[in-house]
Amino acid sequence: MSSFPTLNADLHCHSVVSDGTLTPEVLAERAQANGVHLWALTDHDELGGQERARAAANALKMDYVSGVEISVTWMGQTIHIVGLGIDANHAGIIEGLRQTRDGRANRAKLMAEQLLKVGIPGAYEGALHFAGNHDLISRTHFARYLVEQGVCRDTEEVFKKYLVEDKPGYVPHQWATLDNAVAWIKGAGGVAVIAHPGRYKLTALQMGELYQHFKDIGGLGIEVITGSHSPDQYKTYGKIAQHYGFLASRGSDFHDPDESHVDLGTLPHLPDHLTPVWSAFH
Ligand code: AMP
Ligand code: MN
Ligand code: MN
Ligand code: MN
């Protein structure tokens, strides 16, 4: 597989198997239509879409690496770790992800109770209606319900007024540990990548600890070019990648044609002084 930095690789997106709105097949077509050469579907805490995504990519003659985005609690904050090139049939990661998903239904009921208290009824059933996979009810599905109900104009507004810390509908949750998430990915033969580092509400000191600990336990990569980063952040996290010797990844984090600002395969290329994460795949 090619390892040049300007490869149109999109190694982060979501289907109906987690909180995206398109099927793996439609995503594959969209990626290819946008010129993607190497694609990964990275549903949250779930590998159920991998076979379909790979088959669809193969049919379109597009290179594919299997993927996942694991929810992790680290220093009391939620962070996301992407696993790429994993064996999607590996028992260890399948069981780990099952445990990670486990608390979602209960959390969703508690979120709905809070929303009811601020005058928004029916949110659990409403969110479930948007969830293509009932094992993976997420805040995104609640956000779509609140938009449908006219509570907010768009999901962006929902995540400002609801579902985040100190706002109605926020329920703290204990996800996987960082060590477990990285161990599951490595155990399944994959490469662990810190997703959208620019999004975390951690101090510079805590971020430094995150990078060093992640590296110590065998984490290899970091997202530099992502739909969550500004052009300034491309530079910031490119420097982090160089400083820690991380492989650099690129992914849109595409969820939905209307909700997502960045479409599959349309981000700038990786800067050519960085080592692309796809140099690790054969
Ligand atoms: P959950 O795993 O249930 O906590 O849901 C997390 C998902 O919510 C993320 O993967 C995003 O898709 C979505 N999300 C979180 N924060 C925002 C935001 N500020 N704007 C839009 N979507 C968001
Ligand atoms: Mn999401
Ligand atoms: Mn994420
Ligand atoms: Mn994502």
Side-chain angles (χ1 to χ4, degrees), residues 19 44 80 104 107 138-140 156 159 255:
D19 62 348
H44 296 285
H80 287 167
R104 279 189 180 268
R107 169 194 187 231
S138 94
R139 284 186 292 158
T140 316
E156 201 72 23
F159 280 103
H255 284 70

Side-chain angles (χ1 to χ4, degrees), residues 1-37:
M1 196 166 289
S2 180
S3 74
F4 61 99
T6 58
L7 183 78
N8 192 344
D10 194 320
L11 305 177
H12 189 148
C13 69
H14 300 273
S15 78
V16 289
V17 173
S18 65
D19 62 348
T21 59
L22 304 182
T23 61
E25 291 80 8
V26 171
L27 283 169
E29 281 169 23
R30 192 177 182 100
Q32 201 215 26
N34 290 353
V36 172
H37 282 108

Side-chain angles (χ1 to χ4, degrees), residues 42 45 80-81 89 93 133 193 221 251 258 268 276:
T42 55
D45 306 325
H80 287 167
I81 300 295
N89 295 308
I93 194 166
N133 169 5
V193 176
D258 296 321

